[in-house]
Amino acid sequence: MAKWQYTKGLHDLGNGMWAYLQPDGSWGWSNAGLVVDGDQTLLVDTLFDLKLTQQMLDAMRAAVPAAKRIPRVVNTHNNGDHVFGNQLVADSEIIASKACAEEMEERPPENLVALIKNRDQIGPGAQFFYETMGSKFQFEGIKHTPPTRTFEKRLDLKVGDKVVELHELGPAHTRGDVVAWVPQDKTLFTGDLLFVGGHPVLWAGPVANWIRALDLMMSWGVEKVVPGHGRITDKAGLKAQRDYFVYIHDEAKKRFDAGLSAEEAAWDIKMDGWSHWLDGERIVVNVASLYREFHGKAYGERDEGEVMRLFGQMRKYKQERCPAGHQHGHD
Ligand SMILES: [Zn+2]
């Protein structure tokens, strides 16, 4: 299975396709991609902070002379670990789905600086954010840099002679998830519609939409799949995450029907089959989102209080179920 190395940095997938990986793929340690043809380049996602994004751009420019100019960037979705580096490519056209751009306006980087600063007053949810991300990345000084071009459903770009198909397949992980598919090279950049070796996070849902997206991507004849987090994979990685969603959906539904609360259900579902995946505490968010669907709300807004409550529950779950040292990250 270890066809591709999982080491930090730039990986040559051949024929102008590149992946930038950040092990171990846990909270905030995201991947990005670069598509090159002739003197044309397209960057798929920036990273969580300016230092990491600068390191990535330096590595790309050292390996690929054409990357001195990056005229276009795609943000696959609105999570800071895929967009907060945008200010370092602020001269580029920054492309995202309309839903992603809207969500980005609601969660500027300044909010995270305040959250970290006030974590003692805010409580366990903010503490968990600090422990998993705030203490590891540098959010001070990041300027909100929104997309300059948005689209809905589908946008095809030409990079030299290559066609890059942008497909909006959300809402699923977030409200506006986009994947970048390069048919000619059978290479797919999924953003966070795929996590490899880690639990995905169903922030938005509905889960059926995410499963549909995985089925669609599997139907494309993909050979190289760069996930939003984790090692490079192929169709098998998409299938593994589909199996995960079918399992947790069915298990959560049984407990919903039996009258358990979402939190009780999250604690009760046996996750032994996925104990080798990182960030097991995400089951808490995933079950909460499934319950929201079972209550007839397909997907929707969560106010910050609700998000913090879920972060607090994840902290408790992680402390009791996934203590440090237990996690390993191989697949
Ligand atoms: Zn991510």
Side-chain angles (χ1 to χ4, degrees):
M1 181 61 213
K3 194 156 72 177
W4 304 98
Q5 295 286 319
Y6 189 37
T7 52
K8 179 175 173 164
L10 196 60
H11 292 253
D12 186 355
L13 306 182
N15 203 34
M17 309 299 292
W18 301 79
Y20 190 85
L21 307 180
Q22 296 194 100
D24 60 1
S26 178
W27 291 105
W29 297 106
S30 52
N31 299 331
L34 182 70
V35 178
V36 185
D37 195 41
D39 62 356
Q40 291 298 307
T41 58
L42 172 75
L43 178 66
V44 182
D45 280 340
T46 59
L47 303 179
F48 215 173
D49 70 19
L50 301 178
K51 185 172 151 236
L52 292 170
T53 303
Q54 189 61 57
Q55 271 177 13
M56 173 177 79
L57 293 172
D58 290 348
M60 287 174 171
R61 284 164 181 157
V64 185
K68 301 234 165 359
R69 262 190 80 250
I70 297 181
R72 285 177 298 182
V73 179
V74 178
N75 288 145
T76 56
H77 65 288
N78 177 46
N79 277 163
D81 53 335
H82 303 260
V83 306
F84 279 0
N86 280 4
Q87 98 189 57
L88 297 183
V89 286
D91 294 337
S92 310
E93 182 175 57
I94 301 177
I95 304 166
S97 69
K98 186 167 166 274
C100 167
E102 287 166 3
E103 216 180 315
M104 216 182 280
E105 291 307 310
E106 298 164 17
R107 296 216 162 82
E110 294 79 15
N111 288 14
L112 296 186
V113 176
L115 181 73
I116 290 163
K117 205 170 136 227
N118 303 319
R119 63 185 184 276
D120 291 340
Q121 296 92 290
I122 297 171
Q127 295 287 1
F128 184 69
F129 180 83
Y130 178 74
E131 288 156 10
T132 51
M133 292 175 271
S135 57
K136 296 174 182 159
F137 304 94
Q138 184 51 257
F139 303 121
E140 299 270 353
I142 298 181
K143 286 205 235 14
H144 174 57
T145 309
T148 55
R149 177 182 183 186
T150 61
F151 71 100
E152 288 177 272
K153 302 287 178 220
R154 172 86 182 258
L155 176 67
D156 288 3
L157 303 172
K158 283 290 284 280
V159 179
D161 290 330
K162 282 186 206 294
V163 175
V164 181
E165 300 179 5
L166 303 182
H167 294 259
E168 183 186 16
L169 302 180
H173 171 64
T174 63
R175 299 207 307 264
D177 306 299
V178 166
V179 302
W181 165 231
V182 188
Q184 173 190 325
D185 298 300
K186 299 189 183 328
T187 301
L188 173 68
F189 301 93
T190 66
D192 284 2
L193 287 188
L194 182 65
F195 289 71
V196 173
H199 288 240
V201 200
L202 184 69
W203 285 119
V207 72
N209 201 29
W210 199 333
I211 290 172
R212 244 191 323 271
L214 292 164
D215 285 340
L216 178 68
M217 291 187 274
M218 282 191 273
S219 76
W220 285 342
V222 294
E223 285 180 3
K224 297 165 197 171
V225 180
V226 180
H229 296 256
R231 58 171 66 243
I232 297 166
T233 184
D234 52 24
K235 207 170 148 181
L238 297 162
K239 175 69 169 56
Q241 193 177 275
R242 188 192 198 284
D243 293 345
Y244 170 93
F245 279 131
V246 169
Y247 174 77
I248 65 163
H249 170 273
D250 292 352
E251 293 299 312
K253 185 67 168 59
K254 281 183 220 162
R255 288 160 178 83
F256 175 80
D257 291 341
L260 271 68
S261 73
E263 191 178 8
E264 284 165 351
W267 283 76
D268 192 52
I269 294 173
K270 301 270 170 296
M271 295 307 297
D272 300 353
W274 286 272
S275 59
H276 55 303
W277 281 13
L278 294 169
D279 304 325
E281 65 275 14
R282 290 172 179 167
I283 190 69
V284 168
V285 174
N286 295 346
V287 172
S289 294
L290 288 166
Y291 263 58
R292 189 168 58 174
E293 292 179 29
F294 300 152
H295 282 293
K297 269 186 85 186
Y299 76 100
E301 304 311 309
R302 270 198 189 98
D303 62 32
E304 286 305 305
E306 173 70 359
V307 172
M308 281 302 110
R309 199 176 62 79
L310 290 171
F311 267 85
Q313 286 180 15
M314 284 198 285
R315 186 185 199 223
K316 185 164 160 249
Y317 190 101
K318 186 184 173 78
Q319 283 172 349
E320 293 180 27
R321 295 287 178 86
C322 330
H326 177 69
Q327 295 210 353
H328 11 134
H330 14 86
D331 61 0

